[in-house]
Amino acid sequence: MFYIITLGIGIFMMLYDFQIVFILLQGFFLSNKEWDKLLKWIDTTIEWCKIKLTAKLKTNP
């Protein structure tokens, strides 16, 4: 859902290339602790999606 909202904001506010570069550069200012927390969240989200997908495929062949 977050990505849909972010994509919508990007499209409707017409973010141009240089603005996207500045947004991406904000990631360089995260501390190692924040990066670790973010990567852990991404890993758990991917694992959760895999579990849900395999369960759905098993019930609906």
Side-chain angles (χ1 to χ4, degrees), residues 4 6-10 13-14 18 23 30 38 49 51 55 58:
I4 295 171
T6 305
L7 186 60
I9 290 171
M13 292 182 69
M14 295 182 351
F18 69 93
I23 291 169
L30 296 175
L38 179 65
C49 290
I51 291 169
K58 287 180 182 178

Side-chain angles (χ1 to χ4, degrees), residues 25-35 38:
L25 285 176
Q26 289 178 352
F28 291 116
F29 299 105
L30 296 175
S31 67
N32 286 342
K33 188 176 181 180
E34 291 170 327
W35 273 112
L38 179 65

Side-chain angles (χ1 to χ4, degrees), residues 15-54:
L15 295 177
Y16 299 110
D17 293 334
F18 69 93
Q19 292 170 330
I20 293 172
V21 169
F22 288 136
I23 291 169
L24 293 175
L25 285 176
Q26 289 178 352
F28 291 116
F29 299 105
L30 296 175
S31 67
N32 286 342
K33 188 176 181 180
E34 291 170 327
W35 273 112
D36 290 339
K37 185 186 265 188
L38 179 65
L39 292 175
K40 183 178 178 183
W41 179 82
I42 290 171
D43 285 341
T44 55
T45 304
I46 289 172
E47 289 299 320
W48 181 81
C49 290
K50 285 180 184 178
I51 291 169
K52 287 291 188 179
L53 183 62
T54 55

